[in-house]
Amino acid sequence: MTTQTLRALKGQRPIVCVTAYDTPTAQCADAAGVDLILVGDSVGNNVLGFDSTVPVTLDMMVHHCAAVARAKPEALLVADLPFGDAHLKAGDVVKACRRLIQEGGAAVVKIEGGVALVPIIEKLILAGIPVMGHIGLQPQQVNVLGGYRRFGKQVSEAEALKADALALVQAGAFALIIEMVDAKLAAEIAQSVSIPVIGIGSGPDCDGQILVAHDILGINEHAPSFAKSYAKLAETMRMAFAAYANEVRQKTYPTATKPVVSTTRTRE
């Protein structure tokens, strides 16, 4: 999958996207045939024990992206530019994105923000760095917002989101994630732009959907309301650990084995 082949899926079929942070999860997702794997800065919430994405650093993102890249996925590999880095000087933003591609193995960088980031996005694309946009709820803005909420119900906010989407298209973004946006508005934006619009918590009428692997697998037992779990791995994991602990305490693991008798003849 490349940026061009993924763009070509718009209007042909829904695009399947998964957020993953490590090699085995990426291998499983890729084997299932997903189109895009995002190494999100949501690694902070889902793996590293942070309360938000804000503490996640560029070094952390490079580390986890490289782990996913080692799975050698056929899916398009996208990495988040973490908190604050998109607002550095243009040269420093290019350096940060270059690390995600050269060291992390990403093919594309995802950046949160709309109209205000157009000059930076244009520079990145000129430097040969494909960009995926992200509007609506921007988790890196949680401290400004004071929490997470849905966007686009008010007319002024809806118009601002439409302007953001159009600006990102004009700047050269190849695709767009739209998070926690009113479903009717998300559908309108998807129909009005030429690039794929991937929804998360934004209704069924986007060009594709993305969910975090931990939510899909049921590892997060307090997943967002819009997420759907297709397994209950947290429960399975607890049962497996408990079974192991019980066998160790009962001395039934490891089981005793008979000594191996050599069949090799020795010289007398």
Side-chain angles (χ1 to χ4, degrees), residues 121-143:
I121 291 171
E122 290 175 339
K123 284 183 171 61
L124 290 173
I125 292 169
L126 284 173
I129 299 170
V131 175
M132 184 178 208
H134 183 146
I135 62 173
L137 173 64
Q138 299 171 40
Q140 293 175 11
Q141 297 292 319
V142 64
N143 290 334

Side-chain angles (χ1 to χ4, degrees), residues 102-262:
Q102 291 181 326
E103 298 175 39
V108 176
V109 174
K110 180 171 77 65
I111 299 179
E112 293 184 12
V115 173
L117 290 183
V118 164
I120 288 294
I121 291 171
E122 290 175 339
K123 284 183 171 61
L124 290 173
I125 292 169
L126 284 173
I129 299 170
V131 175
M132 184 178 208
H134 183 146
I135 62 173
L137 173 64
Q138 299 171 40
Q140 293 175 11
Q141 297 292 319
V142 64
N143 290 334
V144 174
L145 295 170
Y148 302 113
R149 66 175 179 85
R150 187 167 296 279
F151 284 76
K153 289 187 176 181
Q154 298 179 350
V155 174
S156 58
E157 200 168 73
E159 292 303 317
L161 285 168
K162 292 177 187 178
D164 283 338
L166 182 59
L168 291 171
V169 173
Q170 293 174 340
F174 85 96
L176 178 64
I177 282 183
I178 188 165
E179 182 170 358
M180 289 289 286
V181 168
D182 176 73
K184 184 178 179 181
L185 175 62
E188 183 179 343
I189 290 173
Q191 292 170 4
S192 66
V193 299
S194 59
I195 62 175
V197 174
I198 310 300
I200 178 166
S202 299
D205 296 319
C206 297
D207 298 305
Q209 299 290 333
I210 186 166
L211 282 179
V212 172
H214 287 57
D215 295 335
I216 295 171
L217 299 174
I219 297 174
N220 287 341
E221 295 184 296
H222 302 288
S225 59
F226 56 77
K228 180 178 179 179
S229 295
Y230 294 81
K232 296 182 179 179
L233 292 197
E235 180 180 340
T236 302
M237 290 164 68
R238 281 195 299 269
M239 292 173 62
F241 285 129
Y244 163 69
N246 183 63
E247 288 193 6
V248 169
R249 290 174 183 135
Q250 297 297 321
K251 293 190 175 182
T252 57
Y253 175 84
T255 55
T257 56
K258 295 180 179 180
V260 177
V261 179
S262 176

